[in-house]
């Protein structure tokens, strides 16, 4: 397909983007802190600076998910929570983002229930399997009422609201690298990384103008949703938006030109200044970019 990145690898990441929060190691209570300290000591960081992606670790997570799917007995979610995490080292501080695979599997199950017709859902996950999963979720929620995922996932698009925490200066784009000698080919990477304090300020400013000018719209409601999610984490955390496997659907040229966070910020600035037409134009540019990618979902 024209414009789609061609990458030769044993595992191709799904067409999904991820919004992650990395909390500083010191923010975790015991015994989690000691457990993550031992984990980091044994494995080291997945990214040694703010400019490095966690692509290899994300592919490792995908390989684990595929292994789960290969199970002979259908399972709606892993039997136990993952003990794995994405680890970043930035300016000498270690940040940890737990995979929370089981919790995210429950969320994916809820999305499936909402998006698939009953007949197809019963084929993918039989009713007895879903009932056991939901019963396990209820028991877990009763024991962990305040827990939340460190990672949000979106398939076939980056929701516009996810760009609110970021500025163009947070953008990191690494072009694809062909295979060289013993080094395998590396796909292009696009991600944003910013401190939590900055992310919260941007979301709060954006939400104020959206609430005043566009109350009740999907973007205004989405800004509120993102803001509430960020408030659950340590104030010295890092927030990351990773295009993940979507880079393969976007294509190299369009990926290099993608400045969605900057365009959304321009639209909000225009809206704040009373320039409704300018705001609409900027917002439509972002929407159209992701509309094209979403349409690939239904391509043969």
């Amino acid at each position: 397909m024209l414009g789609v990145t061609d990458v030769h690898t044993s595992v191709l990441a799904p067409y999904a983007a991820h919004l992650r929060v990395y909390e500083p190691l010191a923010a975790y209570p015991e015994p989690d802190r000691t457990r993550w300290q031992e984990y980091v000591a044994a494995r080291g960081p997945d990214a040694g600076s703010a400019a490095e992606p966690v692509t290899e670790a994300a592919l490792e997570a995908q390989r684990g998910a595929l292994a789960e799917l290969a199970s002979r007995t259908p399972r709606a979610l892993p039997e136990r929570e993952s003990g794995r995490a994405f680890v970043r080292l930035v300016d000498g501080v270690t940040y940890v983002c737990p995979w929370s695979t089981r919790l995210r599997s429950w969320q994916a199950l809820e999305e499936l229930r909402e998006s698939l017709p009953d007949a197809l859902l019963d084929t993918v996950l039989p009713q007895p399997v879903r009932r056991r999963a939901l019963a396990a979720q209820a028991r877990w929620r009763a024991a962990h009422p305040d827990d939340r995922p460190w990672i949000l996932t979106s398939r076939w698009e980056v929701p516009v609201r996810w760009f609110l925490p970021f500025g163009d200066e947070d953008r990191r784009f690494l072009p694809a690298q062909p295979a060289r000698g013993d080094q395998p080919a590396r796909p292009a990477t696009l991600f944003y990384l910013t401190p939590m304090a900055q992310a919260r300020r941007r979301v709060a400013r954006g939400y104020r103008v959206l609430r005043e000018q566009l109350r009740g719209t999907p973007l205004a409601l989405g800004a509120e949703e993102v803001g509430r999610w960020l408030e659950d984490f340590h104030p010295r955390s890092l927030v990351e938006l990773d295009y993940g496997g979507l880079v393969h659907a976007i294509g190299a040229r369009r990926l290099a030109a993608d400045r969605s966070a900057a365009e959304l910020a321009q639209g909000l600035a225009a809206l704040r200044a009373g320039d409704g037409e300018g705001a609409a134009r900027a917002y439509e540019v972002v929407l159209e970019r992701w509309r094209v990618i979403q349409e690939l979902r239904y391509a043969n």
Side-chain angles (χ1 to χ4, degrees), residues 13 23 36 42 100 129 148 160 185 199 234 263 274 294:
E23 294 190 280
W36 290 127
S100 54
V129 175
R148 70 284 188 251
V160 176
H234 193 275
E263 290 157 354
Q294 284 181 297

Side-chain angles (χ1 to χ4, degrees), residues 9 18 36 40 75 77 82 112 119 135 151 163 182 191 197 221 231 242 257 275 296:
T9 175
H18 309 280
W36 290 127
V40 174
R75 286 185 291 180
L77 69 158
S82 170
L112 277 177
I151 306 172
F163 291 106
D182 295 335
F191 69 98
L221 296 174
E231 286 296 331
D242 184 355
D275 180 7
L296 293 176

